[in-house]
């Protein structure tokens, strides 16, 4: 592929790492992870979407990928390189015009094998993953649900954690459980600002309902934990999502003008303003900056901190 002059002279940006978690399953976390990735691409960002659910790796199916022969397990064992594993999606006209792109790194249970690597194999894996620094502005990790270590470790390692909930009482309760389990890690910003943790209310019947749900979580968090997550925004309930899932498609690509897609585009704009806006200081999260190797080193330290 021949790059034009704008692509050749692209100014390198710091890699942003974002994990998407939920307190319980069935809240649309994977749908939001994928939709956000494509929306960021429409803003001209290069995104690598990683299936980081250690127990239920199905993001490839959700994205309509039926021919993914390899995943991160092949990278770990050294039988395939990064370029062979990545699944590249055809960009939309808007993304193509702005040089945005999305690639999927199938993962899932393969990440568990990292625990058995010796130091040499670990360094080889890190070297293989270092290529992500050259092709991505954002890493979006679709992590699992719940409060077990395999989920929370992605939040510990990421610059930003997006916590997805719905208006259902059980979902609200479990979202608060995630915040409580994260502890002080959730409050990484200056002057007590919860810059590392953001809340998204999915399947809301209205923006007012979403705001009320978010405020309940924020008030409980402030009262009992001394701080509260940032409310990033909501995704409205939309039949387009269910139809797209049945057809193995991303709703944001199927109908970019649907109410849910417009919500995702707004979320992406807010996320970009937070990560790259002029009023956001680069030193907000100094311990979580750096490249992809730094991220995966933090992740493995957290995942296997009790390894003998």
């Amino acid at each position: 592929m021949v790059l034009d002059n704008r692509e050749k002279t692209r100014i390198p940006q710091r890699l942003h790492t974002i994990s998407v978690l939920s307190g319980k399953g069935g809240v649309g976390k994977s749908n939001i992870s994928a939709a956000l990735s494509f929306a960021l691409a429409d803003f001209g960002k290069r995104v690598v979407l990683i299936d980081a659910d250690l127990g239920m790796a199905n993001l490839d199916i959700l994205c309509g990928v039926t021919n993914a022969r390899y995943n991160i397990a092949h990278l770990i064992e050294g039988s395939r390189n990064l370029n062979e594993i990545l699944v590249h999606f055809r960009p939309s006209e808007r993304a193509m015009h702005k040089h945005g792109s999305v690639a999927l790194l199938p993962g899932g249970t393969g990440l568990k094998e990292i625990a058995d690597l010796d130091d040499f194999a670990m360094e080889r894996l890190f070297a293989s993953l270092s290529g992500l620094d050259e092709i991505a502005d954002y890493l979006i990790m679709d992590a699992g649900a719940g409060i077990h270590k395999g989920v929370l470790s992605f939040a510990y390692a990421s610059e930003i954690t997006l916590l997805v909930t719905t208006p259902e009482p059980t979902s609200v309760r479990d979202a608060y459980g995630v915040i409580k389990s994260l502890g002080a890690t959730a409050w990484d910003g200056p002057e007590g600002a919860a810059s590392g943790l953001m809340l998204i209310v999915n399947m809301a019947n209205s923006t007012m309902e979403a705001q009320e749900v978010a405020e309940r979580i924020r008030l409980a968090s402030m009262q009992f934990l001394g701080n509260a997550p940032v409310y990033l925004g909501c995704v409205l309930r939309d039949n387009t999502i269910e139809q797209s899932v049945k057809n193995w498609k991303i709703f944001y690509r199927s109908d970019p003008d649907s109410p849910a897609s417009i919500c995702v585009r707004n979320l992406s704009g807010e996320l970009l303003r937070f990560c790259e806006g002029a009023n956001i200081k680069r030193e907000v999260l100094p311990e979580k900056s750096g490249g992809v190797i730094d991220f995966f080193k933090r992740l493995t330290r957290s995942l296997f901190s009790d390894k003998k």
Side-chain angles (χ1 to χ4, degrees):
M1 181 177 66
V2 178
L3 303 179
D4 64 21
N5 290 332
R6 288 177 298 175
E7 185 70 7
K8 291 178 181 178
T9 58
R10 185 179 190 128
I11 300 174
Q13 299 184 24
R14 178 168 70 86
L15 181 71
H16 296 281
T17 54
I18 300 173
S19 290
V20 187
L21 316 180
S22 64
K24 64 188 294 290
V27 301
K29 170 184 56 63
S30 295
N31 266 314
I32 288 181
S33 298
L36 276 174
S37 298
F38 286 101
L40 286 171
D42 282 354
F43 278 102
K45 302 304 175 182
R46 301 170 302 169
V47 182
V48 171
L49 176 62
I50 300 179
D51 192 340
D53 190 331
L54 301 182
M56 190 70 68
N58 57 10
L59 193 56
D60 54 343
I61 297 175
L62 183 64
C63 293
V65 177
T66 59
N67 58 348
R69 299 174 59 188
Y70 311 116
N71 56 43
I72 198 170
H74 296 92
L75 193 67
I76 292 171
E77 67 185 23
S79 62
R80 291 291 182 269
N81 61 42
L82 183 63
N83 288 331
E84 292 175 300
I85 294 173
L86 284 174
V87 178
H88 296 272
F89 295 95
R90 181 184 298 275
S92 67
E93 291 186 8
R94 182 181 304 174
M96 186 180 299
H97 176 70
K98 295 185 178 181
H99 304 291
S101 63
V102 177
L104 172 67
L105 179 59
T109 56
L111 290 171
K112 292 182 178 180
E113 299 180 20
I114 297 177
D116 299 322
L117 298 182
D118 56 29
D119 291 341
F120 175 78
M122 190 76 78
E123 288 302 320
R124 183 187 63 195
L125 173 62
F126 290 153
S128 299
L129 290 168
S130 65
L132 293 174
D133 276 321
E134 302 298 322
I135 65 173
D137 303 311
Y138 286 82
L139 292 186
I140 306 291
M141 270 75 59
D142 178 33
I147 58 173
H148 55 82
K149 191 174 185 179
V151 173
L152 300 182
S153 292
F154 284 93
Y156 297 147
S158 299
E159 175 187 358
I160 291 174
T161 298
L162 301 180
L163 178 58
V164 181
T165 186
T166 72
E168 293 183 0
T170 55
S171 180
V172 172
R173 179 199 62 194
D174 290 343
Y176 174 76
V178 171
I179 299 171
K180 184 177 179 180
S181 298
L182 286 173
T185 305
W187 326 121
D188 287 327
E191 300 177 359
S195 63
L197 181 61
M198 295 182 166
L199 189 64
I200 295 176
V201 179
N202 191 28
M203 305 182 195
N205 292 308
S206 67
T207 56
M208 181 176 295
E209 180 186 50
Q211 289 170 349
E212 291 174 351
V213 169
E215 194 58 23
R216 287 204 303 272
I217 296 174
R218 282 174 45 80
L219 285 175
S221 180
M222 184 63 72
Q223 180 179 354
F224 297 106
L225 304 177
N227 219 319
V230 172
Y231 174 49
L232 188 64
C234 71
V235 178
L236 296 176
R237 188 178 296 276
D238 190 339
N239 291 333
T240 300
I241 299 177
E242 182 179 356
Q243 288 300 120
S244 297
V245 170
K246 289 180 179 178
N247 294 326
W248 293 15
K249 295 181 179 180
I250 301 301
F251 70 88
Y252 182 82
R253 297 295 297 272
S254 298
D255 189 353
D257 295 319
S258 69
S261 295
I262 292 173
C263 289
V264 169
R265 201 150 47 240
N266 291 337
L267 288 174
S268 299
E270 286 298 306
L271 197 58
L272 289 174
R273 183 192 65 79
F274 182 86
C275 292
E276 303 177 17
N279 61 328
I280 301 301
K281 298 180 180 179
R282 287 287 180 167
E283 63 271 18
V284 165
L285 298 172
E287 74 280 8
K288 293 188 178 180
S289 61
V292 67
I293 293 180
D294 292 331
F295 166 79
F296 278 100
K297 284 183 176 180
R298 291 192 300 269
L299 177 63
T300 53
R301 282 198 301 268
S302 178
L303 274 173
F304 313 119
S305 59
D306 55 355
K307 180 182 175 183
K308 301 298 182 181

